[in-house]
Amino acid sequence: MGRYVLRRLLQMIPVFVGSTLLIFLMVNVMGDPVAGLCGERQCDPATAARLKQEFGLDQPVFPQQYLAYMGRVFTGDFGTAFNGQKVTELMATAFPVTIRLTVVAILLEIVVGITLGVLSGLRRGRPVDTAVLLLTLVVISVPTFVTGLVLQLLLGVKWGWIRPSVSPDAGFGELLVPGLVLASVSLAYVTRLTRTSIAENKRSDYVRTAVAKGLPRRRVITRHLLRNSLIPVVTFIGFDIGALMGGAIVTERIFNIHGVGYQLYQGILRQNTQTVVGFVTVLVLIFLVANLLVDLLYAVLDPRIRYA
Amino acid sequence: MRGTAHTRRAAGAVAAVVALAAAGCGGGGSAGGTGGAVLSSSWGDPQNPLEPANTNEVQGGKVLDMIFRGLKKYDPRTGRATDMLAESIDTSDSRNFTIRVKDGWTFSDGEKVTARSFVDAWNYGASLRNSQKNAFFFAYIDGYDKVHPAHGKQSADTLPGLKVVDERTFTVRLNQKFSAFPDTFGYPAFAPLPRAFFTDHAAWLAKPVGNGPYAVESYTKGSQMFLRKWDGYPGDDKALNGGVTLKVYTDNNTAYTDLMAGNLDLVDDVPAAQLKNVAGDLGDRYLNTPAGIIQTLSFPYYDKAWNRPGTEKVRTGLSMAIDRRQITETIFNRTRTPATDWTSPVLGPAGGYKAGLCGRACEYHPDEARKLVKEGGGIPGGQVRITYNADTGSHRQWVDAVCNSINNALGNGRACVGNPVGTFADFRNRIGRHEMTGPFRAGWQMDYPLIQDFLQPMYYTDAPSNDGKWSDGDFDKLVDRANAETDQARSVQLFQRAEEVVRDHMAAIPLWYQNGSAGYAERLSGVALNPFSVPVYNEIKVR
């Protein structure tokens, strides 16, 4: 197990380097960021040159800018955004908010998604199952921004149950609705995955054995059926952690949540290399770690899966 | 709920204790916070650090307008420059100015505003070392080329053209005649700065200190700023409310939704998607008033195809092929006004706005348009490609509409197409590198309400915003004469003659004047937008 973890950690290095380099090149391919800094007018050449020097944009992108950047990243310096704030400062305000939002979303996925999945999986073909299937179909086919705007309009403006925008503190309570919107599509997938998996395993030998042993129904479902059925679901949720954090752009914009999505959006709009690359680098790391954790969880869920 | 009740009761108790203590001391003075209620307003994250000479967009400018007062101030209604901190500005030759600062003004940290506050601030703004984006505002001051050379190292730290005479007097020497120079002093770049700005810059940026009707109470970058009425403000434009909370919104749609739900008092940018509903939603609490912004189509004069003799006929023809009225009504819901000159209605007739100066060339005459384009030798390259940035400002809609209008008028379905560019930075980048092959979108927001600001920066030879590199000797001469003219009316006349040169060559096609828009909650009154499309915060009353 230890060697496996070590190997996986080593594998992360090329993935990390490759993805950051790609992002770095992609942001820079859009052209000179300083050109947009002065608004509709031309920056005067002397100031533009000085700004480029300040942000290190006067060097060739590869390898000088990239190497210098990576060198600084390893000392914890992610550079400065165009508005003069340290990117690490932006991260310190943005990540906690988005992590809270992701936690809400993931919890909703786990609790609501798996519960619905188990219910419909056990009652396959019954009205409950059909209803859940229809509901998830609707959720999957409607784009997130539509769900978000409709919920915002109904709950926020028409009925006044929530505030349409989230305050800068962004506490868990305020993030419930945005979290639901963010989770909605994945939640539907989790439900469907669980349902299929449960329905399949319900007829397997070990469940029949467990029932034949006279185990109570509850124990059969939680210890035998669910544990084995959750493997694909856990994979999906683990993968989803990274996807949700990066994909929060739309939801955060609708509910005015100042998290990672907001900073990324601003960074891309202003072509702020330092912000975009910094945030994406951290997101890549989170993604890699989440994937590693998923793989490790396999072993916990199913002892048959042994790693060298 | 219980929590709020508790805190309110606690606060009440504290207030009572304070009141008792004050009464006990027998002090008659009013104890702070006389301004009344605080309002909340939508805000966008400023793009640059909040320094007066480094702020070139509306969001940062909004704050500077609240926390700073300069030598002059632009009247929120007429746009005229009136003396604020300036006691007198004297000149005999439109080149050497002696400026006397009023007595009794201080920054909100108690420091006196002196001549030095201005000279230091202007030197800071002009110095290349500080890479201030608005440094060029000081370009008229003598010695600018030494502190901000176009190439090479800067050879001086301070502008030789600025001299402190005594505590309240300083002199400015310009490198050319510019009679309207004092009228530019209302621009935030010319604001005075306290010593704290220079001694502890980081702390100042975290919580800016100025001399305006409001003081910054706290500032959380990227999310909100609390501004409170500054009770010690000596000016006559004191805040009529207790303060303003500026809340950053990523999306103006969310701000509008918040206004509808009663969580926000003022939105100063009604989203295009809501313009259809706004009359029903807000009634007369919706403002749609002209601002000093004009949209034009510029041409690449560095491209020979657009610069050969006869193309002025093509450009005039294209201008006549655009149905401005229909586009402003259908696409912009009347938040734009068809342009009939190259300035803005906010200048007023005395300031240089002349309705109809463009004449027939800015009206929709499809037959004449077809004829003119033909006479001019046809469209260079056979097709007009209007370049714009697709990331912000919903430019796609109007560019497509303009192209449709041109195609219909010319009877050629392929005469005009839009040419989107991904980001604003890339768009500006291509313009800067002179890579345009056809007309491109240009928007001009005035820096100060002067006709000079609508003409010189864009059409003077090699001027900073002359993105198309248009150049005309007659125009330049007229502008020089207008700048040297001390009589304002005659100066304006000369500028208008220069504008006629722009018209005769159709140097850029004027499209429409942009309005500022705002919507506000029922508890506000006295809401108005100034000519810069920024709410006049200090005049807003909160019920």
Side-chain angles (χ1 to χ4, degrees):
Chain A
M1 195 71 172
R3 276 176 64 187
Y4 171 72
V5 174
L6 190 72
R7 209 175 65 204
R8 284 295 304 268
L9 285 174
L10 285 176
Q11 276 172 2
M12 279 185 188
I13 295 171
V15 178
F16 178 73
V17 171
S19 49
T20 46
L21 179 61
L22 256 177
I23 292 295
F24 209 84
L25 294 176
M26 268 153 68
V27 176
N28 277 286
V29 115
M30 294 197 288
D32 176 12
V34 169
L37 270 187
C38 293
E40 293 282 357
R41 69 176 84 235
Q42 199 73 33
C43 277
D44 78 275
T47 309
R50 223 195 117 76
L51 285 170
K52 271 189 202 168
Q53 201 189 342
E54 258 173 47
F55 293 114
L57 298 167
D58 52 344
Q59 308 257 329
V61 174
F62 188 79
Q64 278 93 328
Q65 273 193 49
Y66 179 69
L67 289 181
Y69 181 80
M70 289 312 278
R72 275 182 280 122
V73 162
F74 281 110
T75 62
D77 176 12
F78 281 85
T80 313
F82 287 153
N83 69 353
Q85 270 184 289
K86 288 243 168 271
V87 174
T88 42
E89 213 176 286
L90 295 177
M91 288 179 180
T93 57
F95 269 100
V97 175
T98 300
I99 288 173
R100 276 202 292 276
L101 182 65
T102 315
V103 166
V104 172
I106 294 281
L107 282 180
L108 283 170
E109 274 179 32
I110 293 174
V111 176
V112 181
I114 294 182
T115 312
L116 282 179
V118 171
L119 278 179
S120 59
L122 289 176
R123 292 175 175 70
R124 213 167 68 143
R126 308 258 193 85
V128 183
D129 182 37
T130 323
V132 168
L133 275 183
L134 267 176
L135 193 74
T136 51
L137 186 69
V138 170
V139 171
I140 290 172
S141 52
V142 176
T144 317
F145 74 90
V146 177
T147 329
L149 286 172
V150 167
L151 280 182
Q152 185 186 41
L153 187 72
L154 289 180
L155 302 178
V157 183
K158 290 270 187 296
W159 302 334
W161 293 357
I162 58 160
R163 291 169 71 102
S165 69
V166 171
S167 75
D169 312 327
F172 276 108
E174 285 181 283
L175 291 175
L176 259 181
V177 175
L180 183 67
V181 171
L182 179 62
S184 60
V185 173
S186 305
L187 199 151
Y189 281 123
V190 167
T191 306
R192 293 189 150 217
L193 264 176
T194 316
R195 172 192 173 272
T196 319
S197 199
I198 291 266
E200 223 170 75
N201 291 336
K202 211 169 76 169
R203 281 168 304 195
S204 59
D205 294 344
Y206 63 83
V207 173
R208 203 179 311 136
T209 311
V211 175
K213 277 198 294 185
L215 288 177
R217 184 177 155 80
R218 186 176 195 83
R219 197 171 162 80
V220 174
I221 292 173
T222 51
R223 294 295 300 212
H224 296 261
L225 182 53
L226 200 55
R227 183 166 172 170
N228 283 289
S229 307
L230 276 186
I231 293 178
V233 180
V234 166
T235 321
F236 180 80
I237 291 179
F239 157 81
D240 214 34
I241 293 174
L244 285 181
M245 290 197 84
I249 293 188
V250 175
T251 316
E252 291 193 356
R253 217 181 120 100
I254 293 174
F255 293 97
N256 200 38
I257 300 168
H258 296 192
V260 173
Y262 161 76
Q263 293 295 351
L264 266 178
Y265 176 76
Q266 292 261 334
I268 292 169
L269 211 61
R270 290 174 184 175
Q271 222 177 312
N272 198 333
T273 326
Q274 315 277 333
T275 323
V276 177
V277 179
F279 274 84
V280 172
T281 304
V282 176
L283 283 178
V284 166
L285 279 177
I286 292 175
F287 207 85
L288 290 174
V289 171
N291 270 316
L292 176 65
L293 286 179
V294 168
D295 288 354
L296 295 181
L297 258 181
Y298 276 170
V300 179
L301 282 170
D302 187 351
R304 283 176 303 175
I305 307 174
R306 284 280 174 232
Y307 299 104
Chain B
M1 272 330 265
R2 203 194 296 160
T4 27
H6 260 278
T7 41
R8 197 176 300 149
R9 211 174 304 143
V14 171
V17 170
V18 171
L20 279 175
C25 292
S30 64
T34 48
V38 173
L39 67 123
S40 57
S41 174
S42 68
W43 194 31
D45 196 18
Q47 192 175 1
N48 306 309
L50 269 178
E51 299 162 297
N54 206 13
T55 298
N56 55 3
E57 37 79 55
V58 179
Q59 302 305 336
K62 203 186 273 182
V63 175
L64 295 180
D65 194 45
M66 295 164 86
I67 63 170
F68 277 108
R69 284 293 178 264
L71 292 167
K72 295 240 182 192
K73 181 184 178 242
Y74 301 118
D75 187 292
R77 265 163 295 277
T78 62
R80 280 179 67 93
T82 48
D83 284 348
M84 198 71 205
L85 265 74
E87 191 173 278
S88 65
I89 301 174
D90 299 316
T91 182
S92 51
D93 57 358
S94 295
R95 223 190 124 183
N96 289 285
F97 295 84
T98 305
I99 297 160
R100 201 156 162 76
V101 182
K102 272 184 195 155
D103 200 13
W105 281 77
T106 59
F107 293 99
S108 59
D109 64 356
E111 189 194 322
K112 272 189 85 161
V113 182
T114 63
R116 198 182 159 207
S117 315
F118 284 97
V119 172
D120 284 354
W122 296 8
N123 277 324
Y124 180 89
S127 176
L128 178 58
R129 190 163 298 124
N130 304 319
S131 36
Q132 301 282 293
K133 289 170 196 93
N134 281 342
F136 58 89
F137 275 93
F138 307 99
Y140 293 105
I141 299 174
D142 200 23
Y144 178 74
D145 50 343
K146 291 202 180 67
V147 300
H148 199 113
H151 307 283
K153 277 207 144 50
Q154 76 181 86
S155 55
D157 283 335
T158 53
L159 288 159
L162 288 178
K163 285 215 168 55
V164 177
V165 177
D166 59 45
E167 190 176 82
R168 281 168 48 210
T169 319
F170 67 105
T171 59
V172 186
R173 189 175 69 250
L174 303 185
N175 48 29
Q176 65 174 76
K177 287 189 174 189
F178 184 14
S179 59
F181 182 61
D183 288 343
T184 67
F185 290 164
Y187 191 78
F190 292 100
L193 285 169
R195 292 310 304 159
F197 178 88
F198 305 99
T199 51
D200 193 351
H201 195 70
W204 192 93
L205 283 182
K207 193 182 166 187
V209 173
N211 64 330
Y214 292 95
V216 177
E217 187 174 272
S218 72
Y219 178 22
T220 318
K221 277 188 187 154
S223 64
Q224 54 190 350
M225 181 185 261
F226 291 100
L227 291 137
R228 290 293 169 266
K229 177 186 181 173
W230 174 36
D231 287 322
Y233 179 68
D236 51 11
D237 56 342
K238 286 186 180 34
L240 302 181
N241 46 57
V244 178
T245 303
L246 296 175
K247 293 184 182 175
V248 172
Y249 283 89
T250 14
D251 189 338
N252 56 4
N253 276 298
T254 312
Y256 188 82
T257 312
D258 253 0
L259 175 71
M260 289 292 101
N263 292 326
L264 188 70
D265 295 321
L266 176 62
V267 167
D268 65 352
D269 177 23
V270 175
Q274 301 288 356
L275 288 173
K276 281 192 216 84
N277 318 325
V278 76
D281 286 346
L282 296 169
D284 56 1
R285 286 179 288 119
Y286 164 60
L287 298 177
N288 179 26
T289 49
I293 306 171
I294 183 168
Q295 314 261 330
T296 61
L297 285 182
S298 287
F299 293 90
Y301 291 98
Y302 42 79
D303 184 343
K304 279 202 186 70
W306 284 100
N307 207 5
R308 65 182 158 72
T311 45
E312 73 275 2
K313 283 195 174 163
V314 178
R315 292 191 296 268
T316 312
L318 288 175
S319 171
M320 284 179 164
I322 301 169
D323 192 347
R324 294 170 176 76
R325 186 153 305 281
Q326 201 197 5
I327 295 172
T328 50
E329 275 171 19
T330 52
I331 296 200
F332 292 119
N333 280 291
R334 292 166 215 263
T335 55
R336 308 280 191 280
T337 311
T340 60
D341 81 337
W342 280 261
T343 67
S344 163
V346 299
L347 294 180
Y353 168 66
K354 192 169 179 185
L357 183 132
C358 184
R360 275 181 79 76
C362 290
E363 291 163 16
Y364 182 57
H365 298 294
D367 297 334
E368 217 168 318
R370 205 177 312 132
K371 209 179 86 198
L372 275 170
V373 169
K374 209 171 178 184
E375 277 176 30
I379 297 165
Q383 193 180 43
V384 184
R385 290 166 61 83
I386 301 179
T387 308
Y388 62 95
N389 57 308
D391 56 345
T392 49
S394 48
H395 296 305
R396 174 182 289 277
Q397 283 93 319
W398 70 257
V399 169
D400 286 348
V402 164
C403 271
N404 278 334
S405 181
I406 291 176
N407 290 344
N408 289 340
L410 300 185
N412 173 1
R414 298 184 41 80
C416 176
V417 289
N419 177 32
V421 173
T423 62
F424 178 67
D426 195 16
F427 176 66
R428 286 302 318 172
N429 197 18
R430 291 184 196 203
I431 289 174
R433 278 200 251 138
H434 299 160
E435 286 175 3
M436 293 294 157
T437 53
F440 53 96
R441 168 189 93 72
W444 182 253
Q445 167 137 31
M446 66 176 185
D447 303 309
Y448 29 78
L450 291 178
I451 183 171
Q452 180 264 349
D453 191 45
F454 280 93
L455 297 176
Q456 192 170 352
M458 268 160 302
Y459 307 112
Y460 197 84
T461 303
D462 287 330
S465 292
N466 189 345
D467 289 331
K469 291 277 157 203
W470 188 68
S471 176
D472 184 278
D474 292 338
F475 176 85
D476 291 0
K477 259 181 244 154
L478 284 164
V479 167
D480 287 340
R481 277 176 59 197
N483 275 330
E485 184 61 66
T486 45
D487 179 66
Q488 210 208 333
R490 284 236 293 281
S491 169
V492 163
Q493 264 174 20
L494 284 165
F495 272 119
Q496 283 174 339
R497 277 177 58 194
E499 197 181 340
E500 285 165 9
V501 177
V502 171
R503 173 194 63 195
D504 295 340
H505 291 84
M506 196 49 86
I509 297 178
L511 293 172
W512 33 73
Y513 313 117
Q514 187 171 323
N515 291 1
S517 66
Y520 55 95
E522 272 169 39
R523 67 187 201 119
L524 299 192
S525 61
V527 183
L529 293 171
N530 69 15
F532 303 91
S533 77
V534 170
V536 189
Y537 285 105
N538 58 291
E539 291 183 5
I540 298 175
K541 284 184 185 150
V542 187
R543 206 188 305 145

